[in-house]
Amino acid sequence: MEPENQTYVSEFILLGLSEDTEVQPFLFGLFLIMYMVTFIGNLLIILAIISDSRLHTPMYFFLSNLSFTDICFTSTTVPKMLLNFHTESKIITYETCIIQMYFFMLFGQLDSYLLTVMAYDRFVAICHPLHYTVIMNPQLCALLLLACCLLSVLVSLLHALMVLRLSFCTVLEIPHFFCEINQVIQLACSDTFLNELVLFIAFGLLAVIPLTGVLYSYSKILSSILRISTRGGKHKAFSTCGSHLSVISLFYGTCLGVYLSSAATQNSRASAIASVMYTVVTPMMNPFIYSLRNKDMKLAFKKLTNTLSIKELLVSNLEKFP
């Protein structure tokens, strides 16, 4: 592009999911409900795990961190989208856009890494049950979590710094409901080769390597389960990893589906609508998957409900006294 088209960027315009003003109230209500369900559902999982000592195991340690990550992941995009619906404004400042992009990538990557670590946890539990407590000790769990966080922070920071070096044209419309890095890079007037190269490498870190680790872990798990002679033993082994396998399929299936479809089509608005699957729907579904198919979580929810009911009763009785 010509140099005169370059300008100092102070804000972008998020085109959102639809330009039809009559649909905006419906979308506001729909995403508000989905966000509240996501927030409350994942928060309940965290509280249930904290309150029940039986769930103080590596699997539930990583699950609680996954729930926290899902809350943060959704919170990077949905509140801003709801604000835009409410104020009927599509503007996002340059600084806010960079911050949103950074935290979106951070929590998205952390989600992927945690799912990989949880697959490794299930691999050790099923393939090496006698050594599980020795291998998955608290020190290793903390180290794995720290490694996931550091890698996510560093890769996201690299992307954000790479975007800061770009200059942008006068057309600053992003055909998305949040500052998606690919869409932002496409608006740049300067050379984006390095950005695209870093994105390609990061895609390997975010998707290919973790997904390979997950597939390897579950291939070993499946092999171990098939060697179990009793039907009850097989069912018990499947039940311990069924929920996690469902979440992995939902997360990676929607992510890969969105990015493969966006590469095959030039319809950015359709890609934005498809992105709702992994940015909003997947974090919302995780609490249901883990609670409905997990007896331990059901018992923990009952215990948490009883605890909250007792506390509420005590508070109401104390208020009766002067």
Side-chain angles (χ1 to χ4, degrees):
M1 297 218 176
E2 296 296 326
E4 58 265 25
N5 288 338
Q6 297 180 349
T7 182
Y8 171 75
V9 176
S10 61
E11 59 189 29
F12 292 100
I13 298 174
L14 296 173
L15 298 182
L17 298 174
S18 174
E19 294 183 0
D20 188 353
T21 55
E22 295 181 357
V23 182
Q24 303 295 331
F26 169 75
L27 291 176
F28 177 83
L30 176 63
F31 281 97
L32 178 61
I33 292 171
M34 293 172 73
Y35 179 67
M36 293 303 296
V37 170
T38 302
F39 191 94
I40 295 171
N42 284 288
L43 181 62
L44 286 175
I45 283 184
I46 296 171
L47 293 176
I49 292 172
I50 293 173
S51 63
D52 195 336
S53 59
R54 294 172 302 176
L55 301 183
H56 294 174
T57 62
M59 183 178 81
Y60 292 106
F61 168 74
F62 291 119
L63 176 57
S64 62
N65 282 280
L66 180 68
S67 294
F68 175 75
T69 303
D70 280 339
I71 291 174
C72 297
F73 183 54
T74 310
S75 297
T76 59
T77 56
V78 178
K80 175 59 179 174
M81 179 169 57
L82 293 174
L83 180 64
N84 289 353
F85 283 144
H86 182 67
T87 60
E88 297 183 355
S89 172
K90 297 181 178 182
I91 293 174
I92 182 170
T93 63
Y94 176 77
E95 293 79 8
T96 305
C97 184
I98 298 296
I99 292 171
Q100 185 187 60
M101 187 191 310
Y102 168 76
F103 282 107
F104 178 81
M105 290 186 292
L106 191 158
F107 292 116
Q109 290 178 84
L110 188 55
D111 233 331
S112 177
Y113 300 146
L114 283 173
L115 288 173
T116 307
V117 170
M118 291 172 74
Y120 174 72
D121 172 76
R122 292 299 84 204
F123 161 73
V124 176
I126 294 175
C127 299
H128 306 283
L130 298 178
H131 302 94
Y132 178 71
T133 54
V134 177
I135 297 174
M136 298 302 295
N137 57 72
Q139 292 77 16
L140 179 62
C141 292
L143 187 62
L144 288 171
L145 178 62
L146 180 62
C148 291
C149 292
L150 284 177
L151 189 58
S152 300
V153 167
L154 291 175
V155 174
S156 302
L157 184 61
L158 176 61
H159 281 305
L161 293 175
M162 291 292 290
V163 172
L164 287 174
R165 59 179 282 276
L166 298 175
S167 56
F168 293 90
C169 304
T170 54
V171 179
L172 300 174
E173 294 182 344
I174 301 175
H176 221 296
F177 61 90
F178 67 96
C179 285
E180 204 271 334
I181 186 167
N182 285 312
Q183 300 293 339
V184 174
I185 290 176
Q186 288 177 16
L187 298 177
C189 291
S190 53
D191 183 28
T192 60
F193 173 75
L194 283 177
N195 296 77
E196 292 169 357
L197 179 64
V198 171
L199 272 177
F200 179 77
I201 296 171
F203 179 77
L205 288 173
L206 175 61
V208 178
I209 295 177
L211 187 56
T212 302
V214 168
L215 292 175
Y216 174 79
S217 296
Y218 272 99
S219 66
K220 292 293 184 180
I221 289 171
L222 182 61
S223 177
S224 297
I225 291 175
L226 292 176
R227 289 198 297 267
I228 298 174
S229 56
T230 62
R231 186 175 180 179
K234 289 182 179 180
H235 181 268
K236 184 178 180 181
F238 270 120
S239 65
T240 61
C241 58
S243 299
H244 180 247
L245 189 58
S246 300
V247 171
I248 284 177
S249 302
L250 189 62
F251 180 79
Y252 282 108
T254 53
C255 285
L256 291 175
V258 167
Y259 280 98
L260 289 176
S261 63
S262 63
T265 179
Q266 298 299 317
N267 192 338
S268 300
R269 183 58 61 83
S271 176
I273 295 172
S275 298
V276 173
M277 285 300 298
Y278 74 90
T279 57
V280 184
V281 176
T282 300
M284 181 184 70
M285 293 301 297
N286 287 355
F288 294 102
I289 293 172
Y290 279 110
S291 59
L292 294 176
R293 301 183 61 178
N294 191 310
K295 292 181 180 179
D296 292 332
M297 284 303 303
K298 289 179 181 179
L299 292 173
F301 279 131
K302 288 181 180 179
K303 183 178 178 180
L304 178 64
T305 304
N306 292 335
T307 303
L308 293 175
S309 299
I310 293 172
K311 287 183 179 180
E312 185 178 348
L313 182 62
L314 289 172
V315 170
S316 62
N317 288 333
L318 287 173
E319 288 177 349
K320 295 179 181 178
F321 294 97

